[in-house]
Amino acid sequence: MTVLEETTGEPAGEPTDARGRVAELHEIRAQAVAGPSEKATEAQHAKGKLTARERIELLLDPGSFQEVEQLRRHRATGFGLEAKKPYSDGVITGWGTVEGRTVFVYAHDFRIFGGALGEAHATKIHKIMDMAIAAGAPLVSLNDGAGARIQEGVSALAGYGGIFQRNTRASGVIPQISVMLGPCAGGAAYSPALTDFVFMVRETSQMFITGPDVVKAVTGEEITQNGLGGADVHAETSGVCHFAYDDEETCIAEVRYLLSLLPQNNRENPPRVECADPADRRSDVLLDLVPADGNRPYDMAKVIEEIVDDGEYLEVHERWARNIICALARLDGQVVGIIANQPQVLAGVLDIEASEKAARFVQMCDAFNVPIVTFLDVPGFLPGVDQEHGGIIRHGAKLLYAYCNATVPRISLILRKAYGGAYIVMDSQSIGADLTYAWPTNEIAVMGAEGAANVIFRRQIADAEDPEAMRQKMVKEYKAELMHPYYAAERGLVDDVIDPAETREVLVKSLAMLQSKHADLPSRKHGNPPQ
Ligand SMILES: CC(C)(COP(=O)(O)OP(=O)(O)OC[C@H]1O[C@@H](n2cnc3c(N)ncnc32)[C@H](O)[C@@H]1OP(=O)(O)O)[C@@H](O)C(=O)NCCC(=O)NCCSC(=O)CC(=O)O
């Protein structure tokens, strides 16, 4: 007889007094906390994974966890389930604090039915989600479950439906963070996709709609679990996961860091902290970091590091669509979302994936009152058949739509070049940026000078005695006439041309001015954003 089977009976004994009943309660609780068996715990550890309770301990402030429905059991029958009715039904739910602020949590216990979701398990999750929404506090799920509990059939599937509906209702109301800590198949992978952030751990966590066996049966493709849906795949190729780490401890510590940058809900601002980094700190080094020649690459991450408080920032989707950077950082203690082209990767062009990545980030910032700072150095959208056939028009439109819809403070800075539609999309003044700045090195134009001269002076170049000399002359003229910041500044299309060394101070002052910004969108049920 297994320990699981031992847990099926009613509490033993008949305590006669209150003390006896309390002792009995502690006994039952101890049994619930211990879980199925030492062997099951060892098996979990042997896979390089922590147990659900160990994970919750890492996530929450010490001693703050308050469990809900610890003594819940399923009432399902058939397939031997009557004989296996462990406390918790395979998921631990409750709330606690992270740096003193309330956070709700649910954690699958893989030792019980492989963490698979049955009816009771699901309704425990529903309850904790409802509590998080009512309390206006973030929800963190620690996922390590095998999807729908096969023995419970459609009841399990319906349980997922209830989670998805709550995920969607909570979207933009409370931050939702999914931490993937084991093999998560089917239903267990859909819910995280509806949440704001997905964390994964290399080697031990996977996400897929169907596992390698089904893939092989249907398409004939042979692939391992990690090759199909491991952390690196989702962090670099699919973009399903925002953060990937080597071990659970680091992963959960980073979840705590992310929470420290987010508000409790959409009615609050992110927490502000005291900042020792001077608001008016000059950054003369910026001129060395960014080459004046628009064709030379450089690392935008270094620019961000130089400008933000103490050089600290948390990059979201660090390894997916690396031609654009999305990061949370602080400026004079206030949290900001930074979106920046990365000239070091694909020259910083906007393509399908970069547009999707930045669009989701802009949406998240707007939902949770995080001001947006955009650093532009963009040669345009990536031309090509693949991009056009892949739907760059509708994907690029997602970014445009997200910016146009955002009512949080929005500041943009053109570092070097900003060409064409990409300039408009990346929070130009014309789509509603509150303040736009440019460095004196910048070139805002419909396209680069070479391309422009080839189009508008085509005849003069062709008719010239020395076409190449004529082309060079026209390029020079076009540059002198149009491609400098003062053309835009004279027309009020940028609010100021600033000394790069003063960027931090200008941004801090601008954010302070915009702190109480309030903007309403026209009344509507909801928009119909491009998909
Ligand atoms: C998740 C796994 C990769 C984990 O493999 P491991 O080798 O680590 O562990 P394991 O196979 O020994 O499983 C541990 C224990 O959990 C049980 N177990 C596993 N999956 C289960 C499930 N879905 N329902 C009920 N019990 C389940 C096993 O019987 C075993 O029980 P014991 O310890 O008693 O022996 C694998 O178990 C697996 O592929 N499970 C099936 C996943 C799946 O197809 N889920 C349905 C998705 S459909 C869905 O969710 C809806 C949809 O999208 O269509």
Side-chain angles (χ1 to χ4, degrees), residues 47 84 110 113-114 116 146-151 157 183 186-187 190 225:
K47 287 178 187 158
K84 282 189 177 182
F110 189 85
F113 302 121
R149 191 176 297 167
I150 295 164
Q151 302 91 319
L157 294 179
Y190 307 140
Q225 281 198 15

